[in-house]
Amino acid sequence: MKNAKAASIPLITIILAFCFGFDACDRAHKTSGTSVPAPTASPASSPTQTAGGDAGQGNNTSQQTRPEIEQQRKEMEQQAEQTVDKEAVAVIAETRNALKAIAADNTDEALKAIERATGKVSILLARNPAAALIPVAYDVEVIDAAPLDIPTIRDRARTAAIAFDAKDYPTARILLYGLTSETRSRTYNLPLATYPDALKDAASLLDQKKNEEAATTLLTALSALVVIDRIRPLPLVLAQIDIDEAQAARDKDKSQAQKLLADARNQLDRARELGYAGNDPEYTALNKTIADLQAQMKGDQDTTSGFSRLKDEVAAFLKKISDSVRRV
């Protein structure tokens, strides 16, 4: 018996560390209006961050502090918050309660927590019969680690490719992170197809006095939350801002309007080189639309329809990229 008890100590330690890690993460994110269910690997540690950059170059930190970027982050945060299901959050909380009870060798309380979680999962299944994933938490952050000039972006991409081909994935990951310029919305989702079975299996194991196996089953279920990212490339957002400002300046200062349109083209080129749908032919079409608009301005032609078309095309392209989902 003593040997069995000693063997269980490492698992209990893991359970406690995992549960209290949940609590600490919750407290840290609730201060910024988010709630992340578990410590999950993430390249950023705060909603707005500057990272990476070549020595001596730095990053355009003013991009992050622009009110338009912050407003966009808040909008994405509000959208993510609206998707979180309270019943699903309660399922996670009760799973954590079960783990804490197992760690305290309180099987009865663990079974009660699992029973409560199972009841809430049943409600979710009844409400969402066609849904496979239910959001339980979110995190929204601005990550602006990419160089400003395109030659440096290309050099870093080539170096990352060399590292990848050499199977030096740690170096490749660092270099690729340095090609990030986006607002990222990350949601953590409860998988309805597998989570109910995990709860049933854990309860059955507890009935059989197999507490360690039950804890492992619950830990595995928590670690299997599906992480989905949606992103908005900052260069495309900045291109939108440049175009809006160019339209406002066209009648007062055509030279400034031309500079703003040129900067919009540069931002589009940055987005393409940073790999945001880099092979999409829409980039070529957008550059042509800007070039046509610049030519109209030089010829003193009416640019009303030209600006309208350009703004619609950029907005549609940004939406297409932002609507794409990526499972982590």
Side-chain angles (χ1 to χ4, degrees):
M1 290 296 292
K2 289 183 179 179
N3 290 338
K5 186 174 182 180
S8 69
I9 291 176
L11 181 60
I12 291 175
T13 302
I14 292 172
I15 293 172
L16 290 173
F18 198 80
C19 289
F20 289 121
F22 269 118
D23 293 337
C25 197
D26 276 348
R27 288 194 297 272
H29 284 79
K30 282 177 181 176
T31 58
S32 64
T34 64
S35 177
V36 177
T40 302
S42 175
S45 59
S46 61
T48 304
Q49 145 176 348
T50 301
D54 292 330
Q57 178 183 340
N59 295 295
N60 188 0
T61 56
S62 64
Q63 290 185 14
Q64 296 189 83
T65 57
R66 293 185 68 159
E68 298 92 340
I69 300 298
E70 175 59 16
Q71 179 61 32
Q72 180 197 80
R73 187 193 68 79
K74 289 181 178 179
E75 290 174 358
M76 292 180 70
E77 191 173 80
Q78 290 171 358
Q79 292 170 3
E81 186 174 11
Q82 291 172 359
T83 68
V84 173
D85 190 293
K86 292 182 180 179
E87 293 292 342
V89 174
V91 170
I92 300 299
E94 293 295 357
T95 305
R96 291 161 55 184
N97 290 336
L99 281 167
K100 290 178 182 179
I102 292 172
D105 200 23
N106 190 339
T107 302
D108 289 342
E109 183 54 41
L111 284 168
K112 290 178 182 178
I114 291 175
E115 183 179 353
R116 291 192 296 268
T118 301
K120 293 183 183 298
V121 168
S122 297
I123 294 174
L124 287 171
L125 288 168
R127 288 179 179 172
N128 309 277
L133 302 172
I134 303 295
V136 298
Y138 67 91
D139 193 14
V140 179
E141 58 193 355
V142 175
I143 306 173
D144 188 19
L148 299 178
D149 62 292
I150 290 174
T152 303
I153 292 173
R154 289 173 177 168
D155 287 343
R156 183 171 293 181
R158 282 193 290 268
T159 306
I162 293 171
F164 183 85
D165 290 341
K167 295 190 181 299
D168 183 3
Y169 299 140
T171 298
R173 281 193 292 269
I174 293 172
L175 290 166
L176 289 173
Y177 177 71
L179 296 176
T180 307
S181 182
E182 65 195 40
T183 303
R184 177 186 301 167
S185 175
R186 171 167 290 182
T187 57
Y188 302 80
N189 300 268
L190 184 74
L192 286 180
T194 58
Y195 210 89
D197 290 337
L199 293 174
K200 292 177 183 177
D201 292 343
S204 176
L205 289 166
L206 285 174
D207 285 334
Q208 301 171 49
K209 308 300 182 184
K210 297 180 179 180
N211 289 18
E212 289 192 15
E213 290 89 338
T216 299
T217 299
L218 294 177
L219 287 170
T220 301
L222 286 174
S223 65
L225 293 179
V226 178
V227 181
I228 292 179
D229 282 353
R230 287 180 171 84
I231 62 171
R232 286 185 185 173
L234 290 182
L236 292 183
V237 175
L238 294 171
Q240 279 188 314
I241 296 170
D242 283 334
I243 293 165
D244 288 339
E245 292 180 353
Q247 185 178 25
R250 62 180 173 173
D251 295 329
K252 300 176 182 178
D253 190 341
K254 287 188 177 181
S255 176
Q256 177 64 13
Q258 289 281 11
K259 290 179 181 179
L260 288 164
L261 288 176
D263 189 64
R265 292 183 68 176
N266 181 65
Q267 293 294 351
L268 289 173
D269 289 341
R270 286 186 72 240
R272 177 166 51 189
E273 294 296 335
L274 290 172
Y276 295 108
N279 291 326
D280 198 307
E282 186 65 22
Y283 281 110
T284 300
L286 288 171
N287 274 319
K288 183 180 184 306
T289 302
I290 292 178
D292 291 342
L293 186 55
Q294 288 178 308
Q296 290 175 6
M297 290 180 64
K298 287 181 180 179
D300 291 328
Q301 299 177 37
D302 184 6
T303 57
T304 302
S305 62
F307 270 107
S308 179
R309 175 188 173 190
L310 177 59
K311 291 168 69 173
D312 288 346
E313 289 178 355
V314 173
F317 186 46
L318 179 58
K319 185 179 186 304
K320 181 173 74 171
I321 294 178
S322 300
D323 286 346
S324 300
V325 298
R326 297 162 177 82
R327 290 199 179 191
V328 179

